[in-house]
């Protein structure tokens, strides 16, 4: 058999202990990998949502500057260093980590990712070469 633990007798005490140790190892290693994946997805979400907000804010700022300048195209209105400082400050204020995230964010990412894992485990029966 491809699974070494299934090749031995069911009543063998050494194999029962090996199966228990294997189950404990799997149970304890899953949360660590789950945390890393959740953190990466959450930080990606943070970066994308901030980039979208920053783009919209910068676009509004440019439009306001054009209105103030009277649509004068000779002035370079995009080089203001103040907007970069404001963007940096707003990013620091609006970004969260898993520890400081609102409970709703934490719950949505945790439950969503866990449901995806459960759904995959229920419907994928053949992992191909990984189980052979």
């Amino acid at each position: 058999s491809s699974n070494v633990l299934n090749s031995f007798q069911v009543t063998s005490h050494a194999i029962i202990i090996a199966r228990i140790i294997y189950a404990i190892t799997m149970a304890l290693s899953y949360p660590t990998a789950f945390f890393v994946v959740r953190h990466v997805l959450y930080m990606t979400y943070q970066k994308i949502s901030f980039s979208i907000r920053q783009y919209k804010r910068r676009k509004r700022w440019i439009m306001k500057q054009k209105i103030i300048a009277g649509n004068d195209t000779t002035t370079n209105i995009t080089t203001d260093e103040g907007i970069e400082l404001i963007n940096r400050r707003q990013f620091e204020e609006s970004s969260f980590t898993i520890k400081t995230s609102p409970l709703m964010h934490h719950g949505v990412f945790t439950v969503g990712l866990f449901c995806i894992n459960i759904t995959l485990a229920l419907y994928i029966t053949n992992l191909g070469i990984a189980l052979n």
Side-chain angles (χ1 to χ4, degrees), residues 19-34:
R19 288 180 183 138
I20 290 171
I21 291 172
Y22 183 69
I24 290 171
T25 302
M26 290 294 108
L28 294 178
S29 63
Y30 176 77
T32 305
F34 184 80

Side-chain angles (χ1 to χ4, degrees), residues 30 33-41 107-120:
Y30 176 77
F34 184 80
F35 177 78
V36 171
V37 171
R38 183 184 64 189
H39 181 73
V40 167
L41 289 176
V108 166
F109 275 89
T110 301
V111 171
L113 188 58
F114 187 72
C115 287
I116 290 170
N117 284 329
I118 294 296
T119 303
L120 289 173

Side-chain angles (χ1 to χ4, degrees), residues 15 21 24-25 41-42 45 47 51 53 60 77 84 96 101 106-107 124 130:
I15 297 304
I21 291 172
I24 290 171
T25 302
L41 289 176
Y42 190 67
Y45 163 75
K47 294 287 185 182
S51 295
R53 283 182 286 169
R60 280 193 310 266
I77 58 173
E84 296 302 323
F96 300 107
S101 67
H106 188 73
I124 295 176

Side-chain angles (χ1 to χ4, degrees), residues 42-82:
Y42 190 67
M43 288 297 110
T44 303
Y45 163 75
Q46 287 277 326
K47 294 287 185 182
I48 290 171
S49 67
F50 179 75
S51 295
I52 291 169
R53 283 182 286 169
Q54 182 182 15
Y55 172 76
K56 289 179 181 177
R57 194 177 306 117
R58 187 167 189 81
K59 192 174 177 182
R60 280 193 310 266
W61 185 77
I62 290 171
M63 291 303 291
K64 286 179 185 177
Q65 292 298 318
K66 282 184 179 180
I67 290 170
I68 291 171
N71 292 327
D72 183 13
T73 57
T74 59
T75 58
N76 189 357
I77 58 173
T78 60
T79 58
D80 187 19
E81 295 175 3

